[in-house]
Amino acid sequence: MTSTATTPATAPATAPAPVSREIRLAARPVGEPGPHHFALVATEVPEPAEGQVLVRNTWMSVDPYMRGRMDHAPSYIPPFALGTALEGSAIGEVVASRAASVPVGATVSHFLGWREYAVLDAAAATVVDPAIASRSSYLGPLGTTGLTAYAALTRTAPVKEGDVVFVSAAAGAVGSVAGQLARRLGASRVIGSAGGPLKTRKLLDRFGYDAAVDYRRGDLAGQLAEAAPEGIDVYLDAVGGDHLQAAIGAMRQGGRIAMVGAISGYNATAPAVGPDNLFQAAAREVTLRGMLVSSHFDLFPEWIGRAAGWLADGSLYTEETVVDGIEHAPEAFLGMMRGANTGKMLVRLEPAFPASSTADSATVTATDSAAATDWATATAATTDSVDAR
């Protein structure tokens, strides 16, 4: 009699849960933040629940408004919680889905950046089309920064035919789009403010500005008067302080100001100095209006429909400054706050996608050897902490 040995059935192996690295707020800064205010932590990623998706982030954004969320103070958006991952705009690929509306393989934008993997409700993920523009574009010109420029110059302080327009932080993510957009909207002259000769030259050569003001040279009001001897009609304010004062002084009757940020005071430890010439705004019937981009999300389809075409045909020029790796996200944020970027500052969380064949944009990788010296100098310049300008 022959006996046959049987092998017990083996249960299928379960794939280990992915481990995600994330950046947490370790301490609340007073004044300018430093590396010690952040912590890199590895955490196991949970499986998505019904109606949720798991996203492998490929790009994330760092933005000036994030500095305000590091303080424990009331604002239009809740502060970051200590000891938890920060948040911000991100682009990624859906790698697991329990929601029919967002399939595996979709490219989505969402608000759980500062981490390599994110589990979120499908309703919080917006499917985007990487065929019409690069994935990173959805964090810059096709994201909230591009929308900020569009909403500011069409709704909050609408540009009219023949207007003279002044834009602060003109070499940054919003300003580099705003100058070109103002021209499309009919401005007769577009003036930008930036820090240093390299950035002011780029305003003229690449970003469509007619004149550039270098705020580091001082006498901002005098430089603006020279650039716009008959005054200005529209001002897009991302800086506040001396820039807002100079703009009010240069305003023509019925001028319009869109207040989208005040980066000059974000690291202040005392009340920020405001303009002392507000009566001039009253006398000239100037409109000063604050703006939150979240109030204008209804414009997203219209803006993307227009801007994607301009990116494709090369008529909208953009730049990105890219830092590689989640571990370097704090450096990217600190560098952006000190003005180390031209255009949009991004963190790439995986190897680069194939480069675009069009000439409508440029990318500077901050970790490339060619950029290393400039990057190190900019991020070490702790005395210049107010410029995403």
Side-chain angles (χ1 to χ4, degrees):
M1 181 174 181
T2 304
S3 62
T4 304
T6 59
T7 303
T10 303
T14 301
V19 173
S20 176
R21 295 181 300 167
E22 62 187 30
I23 301 295
R24 297 181 179 179
L25 184 64
R28 297 199 186 278
V30 177
E32 186 177 7
H36 58 287
H37 292 109
F38 304 89
L40 176 66
V41 177
T43 182
E44 189 173 284
V45 180
E47 291 186 4
E50 188 66 31
Q52 291 187 321
V53 295
L54 171 61
V55 180
R56 179 175 57 85
N57 288 336
T58 54
W59 294 89
M60 59 162 277
S61 173
V62 294
D63 300 283
Y65 80 89
M66 294 174 176
R67 174 60 187 87
R69 296 193 68 189
M70 295 175 187
D71 297 330
H72 190 65
S75 185
Y76 66 93
I77 189 169
F80 292 128
L82 280 174
T84 63
L86 285 79
E87 299 173 342
S89 297
I91 293 289
E93 179 186 352
V94 176
V95 295
S97 175
R98 297 189 65 188
S101 59
V102 185
V104 170
T107 299
V108 296
S109 66
H110 60 89
F111 205 61
L112 291 183
W114 293 88
R115 67 203 79 191
E116 293 174 313
Y117 285 85
V119 174
L120 63 151
D121 293 342
T126 300
V127 177
V128 300
D129 186 357
I132 66 172
S134 67
R135 290 162 174 81
S136 60
S137 294
Y138 288 96
L139 296 177
L142 300 186
T144 55
T145 50
L147 182 64
T148 296
Y150 188 63
L153 298 181
T154 60
R155 281 186 174 173
T156 307
V159 175
K160 301 175 182 176
E161 193 73 29
D163 278 347
V164 177
V165 177
F166 176 44
V167 177
S168 61
V174 174
S176 58
V177 172
Q180 299 170 79
L181 179 59
R183 175 77 67 216
R184 288 181 178 274
L185 294 172
S188 62
R189 186 167 176 79
V190 186
I191 303 157
S193 170
L198 294 179
K199 285 189 176 182
T200 52
R201 173 50 56 187
K202 186 152 286 187
L203 297 187
L204 303 176
D205 292 346
R206 305 299 295 182
F207 293 139
Y209 285 89
D210 298 298
V213 171
D214 183 352
Y215 75 89
R216 291 181 180 171
R217 288 173 46 201
D219 188 18
L220 195 61
Q223 290 189 69
L224 184 55
E226 183 179 348
E230 297 181 6
I232 63 175
D233 301 287
V234 172
Y235 171 48
L236 196 163
D237 183 26
V239 175
D242 58 348
H243 278 69
L244 182 56
Q245 172 141 343
I248 291 173
M251 275 283 153
R252 297 201 281 215
Q253 200 74 17
R256 296 155 320 273
I257 298 176
M259 304 171 69
V260 303
I263 196 171
S264 64
Y266 287 173
N267 287 330
T269 56
V273 177
D276 62 11
N277 59 346
L278 283 174
F279 182 73
Q280 292 183 34
R284 297 171 188 170
E285 299 180 298
V286 172
T287 300
L288 295 88
R289 186 177 177 188
M291 190 195 110
L292 298 178
V293 70
S294 56
S295 297
H296 301 276
F297 282 171
D298 63 298
L299 284 177
F300 249 136
E302 176 183 321
W303 168 241
I304 291 176
R306 302 181 73 176
W310 297 336
L311 287 173
D313 67 20
S315 61
L316 177 61
Y317 177 81
T318 64
E319 290 198 14
E320 299 171 345
T321 304
V322 176
V323 175
D324 281 300
I326 188 69
E327 67 274 19
H328 295 299
E331 297 170 33
F333 173 77
L334 298 175
M336 177 272 304
M337 291 295 291
R338 297 170 184 150
N341 59 299
T342 298
K344 181 66 179 172
M345 176 69 87
L346 296 169
V347 180
R348 182 166 48 203
L349 303 180
E350 71 165 12
F353 289 96
S356 169
S357 60
T358 63
D360 64 340
S361 64
T363 300
V364 174
T365 302
T367 51
D368 285 348
S369 58
T373 301
D374 291 342
W375 174 254
T377 300
T379 54
T382 56
T383 58
D384 181 22
S385 61
V386 298
D387 183 30
R389 310 185 238 172

